[in-house]
């Protein structure tokens, strides 16, 4: 994948792979330079290319005070940042620093290595990137993804959008050091690596240890020359430790490994869990690619945030599993305690024990008595297995997914019991409770033969890069599903409980139950209060409706409709945990529920607001009565009328709702006030202390309702407009779409919309150069071009697409002011913000040449 061993550029002896990492290379990549100063800020080492940016040979700089080389203000700034470093592996970064007058500004990485302060500089890229805000938006999209696999896929997609690399993989390590590509985002035209496994030797233990210390590493060009650090050794003969260096090069072995994969540039971002390496974001590019230190910092920050999200999600899953096992465990202990049974009675609870840890069979050895249940070894085989367990180290839980590997007779029964989780439940001679799992034969697809990672050379067996990455399949036998850490902890808790004969719940557990009971009682009281309020409201509706209704059938219909209106309102506020509800949604739902096909004749106009639950329920009844009245007697009672509902905030910040009916039959004031009229005219003033005014004009009923500001909240801004969008015929298309957009978040949104419309793949480019490269590498079937790409426009891309006869559309935030160049003809122009309907219309008429 994206790492290799890094010991002085020489192949590493495979026998040393279990040692700690020793030294990393004493050379740096040429896109920046390195200065090492002593605690007195005397320059003691420098990279050989320092002359390119500092104007003086590196040899002439050694031994000089740093302020004779670098601007004093810059030194003051660096000293301040050095003061903030905390911990042995701390690294700080400063952007846009002018080290030398009349020279370019630099991005700086600072850390301490032994007795030296390492200053690494590279020319600043004028991106004006807000890393924190960018990563915040990226993380918010991750947090909306619930399941593990979609989360990893979305993370790979986000990282590819951020870095611009052709391929981004989420690579997860197994306990044995091997790895698997579990998610991938790759440009069209490249092979896919998803699901491939790689042997542990591809990323040796030394390299994995470095990834735990240093979150990020970039190789901008595998063919770039390595720049030496001068002098290569200190007076004691030791090289400079570059473990935390941003610029450090890598071994020639790893560069050859990348060449064999067809990779010209790579970027790796660590994924840690509990401070240990869980996996990597492995980014590959088919051409040399360098991204600025600021953008790499954003990628590193995103990797850290993804690590924390992943850790949090895994902890939630483990907590749920442990809670379920703990519940079963507590029931078992309570049953044993109530029955007064010791270990001798444990066999009576075999079914309960099987529920504590997921297993296919269970074996129990107590005082020489054997109990077997499910898929297990035979009695004789189990007896031999217990003898083996009695020879293992200390009294602890023993877990393996391959019994035959450690207990040779286990190969004879691995189809029935390939893995075991053994729990000692007494002192020597030990009694055991053993959970068994059957064999799960599975096919593993390796990226090349994992049995051939090394070759014989003049210095013996040395690690060499593999040349073949063709898929190589291996069928694994004799192993079960592995036991998780959570299952091992559950088994350990059971062991402790049984050993110490803790058969009753502890005082703390009793307190927890008491607190839970108190919370339950409080919840019941609150629920009782709300139910009583609802019942009182329904009783009032029934009573008042009876007084105004005609026959029984009419009464039933009226009451049923009003209760349904209340139910719909209740659904809307309870879906937000009894929070405020949307006025626009209330009107839309009520119109659709009661008016059916006439709902499109209710025209809404206003910026949506949220109503507190009390106001929402009141308005639900008022709106229902207005809809009912209009459908029976007003504008909606025939085919020509319509209802306009408009709302705004007045000078007191109250919400004023205007209901206006037009085009229907002539209206006159009712001679008798029914319950419906009472609800319309009195509910808002009585319940909310607002205002209500109803006018019965010949042209149609008009109502004005004023709701006090205390019951109104601002909603996320979305204008509710009168007319529905014109009907658009569904357009579904396959193939590849190209999105040229310099705003990553907008590009991701466009990718989602195009994928939903049927695109098989969506490539993204943030510049003209990248877009033209993608077009030449694999022409898309259609393209969406943002007009403005920062310092350039996408017109050159449009002309290239026109030459190839590929349909495209422009997207712009300039509104009507953008004019399509005449030579491009009639090209669709979509105004931002755009959605699926806009894209359907645009690609439905985009020119094909």
């Amino acid at each position: 994948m994206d790492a290799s061993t890094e010991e002085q550029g020489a192949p590493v002896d495979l026998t040393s792979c279990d040692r700690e990492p020793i030294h990393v290379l004493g050379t740096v990549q040429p896109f920046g330079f390195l200065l090492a100063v002593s605690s007195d800020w005397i320059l003691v080492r420098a990279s050989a290319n320092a002359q390119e940016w500092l104007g003086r040979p590196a040899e002439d700089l050694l031994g000089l005070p740093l302020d004779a080389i670098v601007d004093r203000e810059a030194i003051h700034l660096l000293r301040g940042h050095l003061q903030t470093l905390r911990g042995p592996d701390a690294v700080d970064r400063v952007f846009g620093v002018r080290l030398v007058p009349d020279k370019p500004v630099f991005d700086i990485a600072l850390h301490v290595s032994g007795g030296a302060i390492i200053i690494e500089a590279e020319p600043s890229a004028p991106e004006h990137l807000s890393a924190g805000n960018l990563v915040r938006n990226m993380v918010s999209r991750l947090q909306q993804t619930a399941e593990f696999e979609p989360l990893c896929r979305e993370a790979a997609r986000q990282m590819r959008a951020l870095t611009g690399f052709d391929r981004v993989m989420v690579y997860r390590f197994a306990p044995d050091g091997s790895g698997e590509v579990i998610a991938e985002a790759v440009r069209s035209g490249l092979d896919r690596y998803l699901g491939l496994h790689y042997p542990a030797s591809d990323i040796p233990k030394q390299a994995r240890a470095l990834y735990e210390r240093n979150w990020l590493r970039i190789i901008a060009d595998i063919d770039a020359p390595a720049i030496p650090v001068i002098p290569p050794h200190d007076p004691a003969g030791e090289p400079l430790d570059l473990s935390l260096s941003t610029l450090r090069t890598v071994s020639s072995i790893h560069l050859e490994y990348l060449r064999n994969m067809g990779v010209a540039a790579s970027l790796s971002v660590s994924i840690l869990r509990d401070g240990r390496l869980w996996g990597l974001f492995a980014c590959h590019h088919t051409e040399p690619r360098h991204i600025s230190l600021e953008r790499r910092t954003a990628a590193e920050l995103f990797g850290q945030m993804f690590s924390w999200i992943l850790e949090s999600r895994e902890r939630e899953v483990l907590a749920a599993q442990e809670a379920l096992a703990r519940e079963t465990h507590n029931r078992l202990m309570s049953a044993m305690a109530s029955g007064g049974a010791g270990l001798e009675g444990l066999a009576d609870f075999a079914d309960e024990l099987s529920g504590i840890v997921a297993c296919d069979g269970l074996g129990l050895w107590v005082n020489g008595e054997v109990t077997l249940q499910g898929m297990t070894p035979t009695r004789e085989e189990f007896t031999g297995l217990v003898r083996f367990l009695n020879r293992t180290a200390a009294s602890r839980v023993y877990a393996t997914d391959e019994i035959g590997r450690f207990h040779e007779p286990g190969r004879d029964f691995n189809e029935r019991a390939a893995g075991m989780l053994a729990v000692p439940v007494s002192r020597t001679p030990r009694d055991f409770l053993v959970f068994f799992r059957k064999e799960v034969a599975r096919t593993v697809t390796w990226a090349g033969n994992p049995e051939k990672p090394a070759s014989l050379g003049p210095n013996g067996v040395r690690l060499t890069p593999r040349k073949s990455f063709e898929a190589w399949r291996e069928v694994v036998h004799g192993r079960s599903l592995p036991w998780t850490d959570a299952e091992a902890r559950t088994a350990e808790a059971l062991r402790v409980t049984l050993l110490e004969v803790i058969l009753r719940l502890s005082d703390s557990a009793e307190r927890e139950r008491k607190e839970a009971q108190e919370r339950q009682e409080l919840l019941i009281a609150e629920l009782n209060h709300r139910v009583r309020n609802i019942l009182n409201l329904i009783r009032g509706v029934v009573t008042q409706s009876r007084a105004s209704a005609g026959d029984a059938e009419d009464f039933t219909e009226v009451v049923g409709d009003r209760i349904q209106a209340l139910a719909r309102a209740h659904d809307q506020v309870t879906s937000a945990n009894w929070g405020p509800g949307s006025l626009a949604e209330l009107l839309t739902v009520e119109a659709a529920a009661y008016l059916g096909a006439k709902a499109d004749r209710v025209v809404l106009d206003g910026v949506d607001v949220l109503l507190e639950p009390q106001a929402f329920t009141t308005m639900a009844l008022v709106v229902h009565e207005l809809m009912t009245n209009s459908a029976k007697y007003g504008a909606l009672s025939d085919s020509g009328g319509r209802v306009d509902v408009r709302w705004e905030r007045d000078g007191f910040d109250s919400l004023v709702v205007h209901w206006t009916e037009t085009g229907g039959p002539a209206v006159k004031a009712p001679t008798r006030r029914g319950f419906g009229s009472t609800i319309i005219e009195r509910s808002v003033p009585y319940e909310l202390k607002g205002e209500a005014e109803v006018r019965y004009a010949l042209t149609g009923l008009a109502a004005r309702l004023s709701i006090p500001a205390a019951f109104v909240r601002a909603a996320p801004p979305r204008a509710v407009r009168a007319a529905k969008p014109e009907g658009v015929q569904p357009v579904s298309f396959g193939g590849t779409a190209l999105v040229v957009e310099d705003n990553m978040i907008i590009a991701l949104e466009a990718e989602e919309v195009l994928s939903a419309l049927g695109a098989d793949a969506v490539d993204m480019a943030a510049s003209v150069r990248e877009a033209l490269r993608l077009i030449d590498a694999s022409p898309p079937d259609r393209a969406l071009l943002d007009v403005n790409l920062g310092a350039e426009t996408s017109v050159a891309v449009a002309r290239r697409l026109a030459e190839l006869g590929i349909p495209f559309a422009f997207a712009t935030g300039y509104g009507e002011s953008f004019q399509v160049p005449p030579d491009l003809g009639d090209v669709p122009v979509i105004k931002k913000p755009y959605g699926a309907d806009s894209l359907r219309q645009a690609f439905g008429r985009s020119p094909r040449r």
Side-chain angles (χ1 to χ4, degrees), residues 265-286:
S266 74
L267 177 75
S268 301
V269 181
S270 300
I271 303 171
L272 303 184
R273 190 186 187 285
D274 291 329
R276 304 305 302 270
L277 189 64
W278 180 92
L280 297 170
F281 285 103
C283 311
H284 290 170
H285 210 64
T286 55

Side-chain angles (χ1 to χ4, degrees), residues 521-557:
E521 291 173 354
L522 181 62
L523 177 61
I524 291 173
E526 174 65 19
L527 180 61
N528 182 53
H529 170 71
R530 291 188 179 179
V531 169
R532 285 181 176 274
N533 284 343
I534 292 172
L535 291 175
N536 284 334
L537 177 59
I538 292 174
R539 183 177 64 180
V541 168
V542 172
T543 301
Q544 295 298 323
S545 298
R546 182 178 58 191
S548 60
D551 56 20
E553 183 177 349
D554 183 32
F555 169 71
T556 301
E557 181 181 357

Side-chain angles (χ1 to χ4, degrees), residues 64-278:
L64 293 178
L66 193 62
D67 59 8
I69 306 162
V70 176
D71 184 76
R72 288 178 179 269
E73 288 298 321
I75 295 176
H76 173 73
L77 179 64
L78 296 180
R79 281 181 179 272
H81 279 268
L82 191 67
Q83 185 71 34
T84 66
L85 295 180
R86 292 290 183 273
D89 291 339
V91 177
D92 199 5
R93 292 170 186 144
V94 197
F95 304 100
V97 179
R98 192 173 299 280
L99 293 177
V100 180
D102 302 324
K103 293 288 185 181
V105 294
F106 293 91
D107 293 335
I108 308 294
L110 278 174
H111 72 276
V112 176
S113 176
I117 300 163
I118 308 299
I119 304 171
E120 299 177 276
E122 55 187 272
S124 292
E127 289 194 283
H128 304 294
L129 181 71
S130 176
N133 188 55
L134 180 61
V135 172
R136 179 182 62 81
N137 286 327
M138 295 169 69
V139 169
S140 69
R141 298 175 72 88
L142 285 185
Q143 290 173 331
Q144 297 173 21
T145 309
E147 301 298 328
F148 173 75
E149 290 184 2
L151 176 71
C152 294
R153 285 198 302 269
E154 179 65 17
R157 194 169 71 96
Q158 298 270 357
M159 184 65 81
R160 181 169 176 245
L162 174 63
T163 62
F165 275 72
D166 286 336
R167 183 194 307 276
V168 174
M169 297 164 281
V170 177
Y171 182 79
R172 178 173 60 187
F173 289 104
D176 63 359
S178 65
E180 178 188 3
V181 178
I182 63 171
E184 180 181 43
V186 59
R187 75 164 171 84
S188 59
L190 294 182
D191 293 337
R192 295 189 176 272
Y193 294 166
L194 182 64
L196 291 183
H197 291 248
Y198 293 78
S201 57
D202 277 20
I203 306 180
K205 188 174 182 180
Q206 294 98 324
R208 295 197 297 272
L210 283 175
Y211 277 121
E212 289 183 357
R213 299 181 60 195
N214 197 344
W215 281 84
L216 181 142
R217 184 181 70 182
I218 186 172
I219 305 173
D221 183 356
I222 65 170
D223 295 320
I227 307 300
V229 175
I230 301 173
H233 299 89
D234 64 14
E238 294 294 327
L240 184 65
D241 186 352
L242 295 179
S243 298
L244 301 179
S245 170
T246 298
L247 300 174
R248 65 181 173 87
T249 56
V250 299
S251 71
S252 57
I253 293 176
H254 181 48
L255 296 178
E256 183 180 348
Y257 181 95
L258 292 176
R259 288 189 190 96
N260 293 343
M261 293 188 75
V263 175
S266 74
L267 177 75
S268 301
V269 181
S270 300
I271 303 171
L272 303 184
R273 190 186 187 285
D274 291 329
R276 304 305 302 270
L277 189 64
W278 180 92

